[in-house]
Amino acid sequence: MSLVGNLGDNAKTSSIIETNEASNQWGWYQAKAVKGQMATIHGELLGALSGAAPDEARAKEIARLRDDATRYEQEKAGIKKQAEDLQKQAAHDSKTNDRCDLASLMLQIAVVICSVAILSHWRAIWCRPRPRPGRGHRGRHGVSPLSALAGGGSKNSAHAGRGRFFLGPASGGA
């Protein structure tokens, strides 16, 4: 039970950590999106204010801002993939934790049932036949289980108990 509980706790901890890392990745993704949008807007605004023929310094700045915007978009794709992978792993670990919790519950129920069966001599679990009142330890047809194993046919048989396990002459004769 402790092994299953430990596996479930490890999966739960891993799921929490991966969810936190995925959240960090999504925050980084949003930061890149904002930076890319700002670079695009800044480049367009600089181009619009420069007029039809911007000078060389402004042209370089506009090109740098466009390159930055493109780079941010490319970085976003990698960050998004990483965040989605972390979310999938967290979901898998969460399912593992749920299965371990269920297994632990079933093991605890089994221990309780076995404890009750031991204390109450519950035949359905242990399959140990109880002697019936008035029959002693005789089986279904009035034959002792040991005499049936030894080859005795019935309780009234002259050879009862003289089967494979014959230990000596029967009491009372020959």
Side-chain angles (χ1 to χ4, degrees):
M1 262 190 317
S2 66
L3 175 68
V4 173
N6 193 16
L7 288 174
D9 289 344
N10 289 345
K12 181 178 13 176
T13 301
S14 180
S15 176
I16 290 169
I17 290 170
E18 288 162 350
T19 301
N20 190 20
E21 288 176 0
S23 179
N24 290 343
Q25 291 293 318
W26 285 119
W28 193 23
Y29 176 85
Q30 289 176 343
K32 292 290 183 177
V34 169
K35 286 182 178 181
Q37 196 65 21
M38 291 295 291
T40 301
I41 291 171
H42 189 196
E44 289 174 359
L45 184 60
L46 194 55
L49 293 175
S50 299
D55 61 350
E56 189 176 325
R58 284 191 180 177
K60 284 183 180 178
E61 183 66 19
I62 292 170
R64 185 188 65 78
L65 289 169
R66 286 185 182 151
D67 289 342
D68 285 348
T70 305
R71 180 175 53 91
Y72 288 136
E73 284 298 317
Q74 291 170 349
E75 289 174 354
K76 276 179 21 181
I79 295 168
K80 180 180 179 182
K81 171 123 176 59
Q82 215 173 13
E84 288 171 344
D85 289 345
L86 285 167
Q87 283 181 323
K88 286 178 186 174
Q89 185 62 37
H92 177 266
D93 288 343
S94 180
K95 288 179 184 176
T96 300
N97 178 45
D98 292 343
R99 285 191 302 268
C100 287
D101 286 345
L102 183 62
S104 180
L105 174 67
M106 292 300 145
L107 285 171
Q108 289 173 2
I109 290 171
V111 166
V112 169
I113 290 173
C114 287
S115 298
V116 169
I118 289 170
L119 294 173
S120 68
H121 302 286
W122 191 12
R123 289 175 41 191
I125 295 292
W126 302 112
C127 299
R128 188 178 79 192
R130 287 188 180 172
R132 294 185 182 170
R135 294 184 109 184
H137 290 285
R138 302 244 176 236
R140 236 174 127 189
H141 301 289
V143 178
S144 166
L146 289 178
S147 69
L149 179 67
S154 74
K155 65 181 179 181
N156 295 327
S157 171
H159 300 288
R162 289 186 156 186
R164 288 188 347 200
F165 302 106
F166 176 67
L167 298 175
S171 62

